[in-house]
Amino acid sequence: MAKLTFSMENYLEAVYELSAGGGGARVSDIATRIGVSKASVNSAMNLLHQRGLVENEKYREIRLTEAGRQAARLTAEKHHILQTLLSRVMGVEEQQASADACAMEHVISDESTGKILAFLEKNGIEVE
């Protein structure tokens, strides 16, 4: 699969988190979560649909495909690992740690994320 942009990863992560209860995500909820217009969400969902990452039928909730779920899960895991490192180890205020983790999750390698997770686990710090 071609590399996803930061924006695409953010949309996938939003759908992933909003649909955690087993359902799908509504366009309006995604727009609110990310802070964009519904038109921007619709445009992004069409693009993600073309890439096979979401199921996007008119007037229906948006659902992740298996490939979309996998990509979103990896992004969300990186976010939580980085946020935990920043807030619980380094003492960064929670809201700032979340914002910084959101920026970092798109560029950090899987190897580095794995090493951070191993460090946290070794020190008895549970990832939030």
Side-chain angles (χ1 to χ4, degrees), residues 4-40:
L4 299 174
T5 66
F6 293 5
S7 178
M8 286 183 209
E9 286 180 345
N10 280 337
Y11 279 107
L12 286 175
E13 187 178 9
V15 174
Y16 180 76
E17 291 175 352
L18 289 167
S19 60
R26 297 180 320 161
V27 168
S28 58
D29 293 335
I30 298 167
T32 300
R33 168 72 61 103
I34 298 177
V36 298
S37 69
K38 289 191 253 182
S40 293

Side-chain angles (χ1 to χ4, degrees), residues 18-66:
L18 289 167
S19 60
R26 297 180 320 161
V27 168
S28 58
D29 293 335
I30 298 167
T32 300
R33 168 72 61 103
I34 298 177
V36 298
S37 69
K38 289 191 253 182
S40 293
V41 174
N42 281 321
S43 177
M45 292 306 113
N46 287 334
L47 182 60
L48 292 170
H49 177 73
Q50 290 171 2
R51 289 182 171 228
L53 299 171
V54 298
E55 296 172 1
N56 183 21
E57 296 179 34
K58 198 168 190 169
Y59 306 116
R60 311 253 344 211
E61 289 183 328
I62 295 162
R63 297 180 184 278
L64 296 169
T65 63
E66 186 54 40

